[in-house]
Amino acid sequence: RLDTMQQDLDLMALPLAVNILGVNEIGHGGSYNVDACEGKDIPWLQETAAEPCWTPWGVTYRDVIILDGDNVVIGVYNLTDHDLNVQANYDELKAMLATAAGGK
């Protein structure tokens, strides 16, 4: 559903672009990265020791970390707690991302 959300956000006239991407935690590479990208358009990155993000940001598995225009964390939305197949959750996350991009 994040592919669809990216498309929805791309159609909105927001002051800042919204770019949804995934980041795989260090130590969880291998075939998982291939599986995570299968049939999806969302960019997928692999955390490395040289470029850590999970620990510094305090990420929990399936967190959506929302950044402002300066890449400062301004929100967190966990997809385990908020299934995006529930329309209200989908709408809530989309609104959070749109607000972070300067939308109303």
Side-chain angles (χ1 to χ4, degrees), residues 9 13-14 23 29 31 36-37 39 41 48 52-53 60 63 74 77 91 101 103:
L9 290 163
L14 298 170
V23 180
S31 65
C37 296
D41 292 328
T48 65
C53 61
T60 299
D63 276 351
I74 59 169
Y77 197 84
D91 293 343

Side-chain angles (χ1 to χ4, degrees), residues 10-75:
D10 288 346
L11 295 173
M12 298 172 72
L14 298 170
L16 297 175
V18 174
N19 297 299
I20 300 172
L21 56 94
V23 180
N24 191 40
E25 182 180 17
I26 195 168
H28 296 277
S31 65
Y32 181 76
N33 284 330
V34 173
D35 295 341
C37 296
E38 183 83 22
K40 297 180 181 78
D41 292 328
I42 299 294
W44 188 257
L45 306 174
Q46 176 62 56
E47 178 187 45
T48 65
E51 295 293 333
C53 61
W54 277 60
T55 299
W57 286 348
V59 175
T60 299
Y61 178 66
R62 300 192 77 215
D63 276 351
V64 174
I65 307 297
I66 302 168
L67 307 175
D68 68 9
D70 295 319
N71 288 329
V72 174
V73 176
I74 59 169

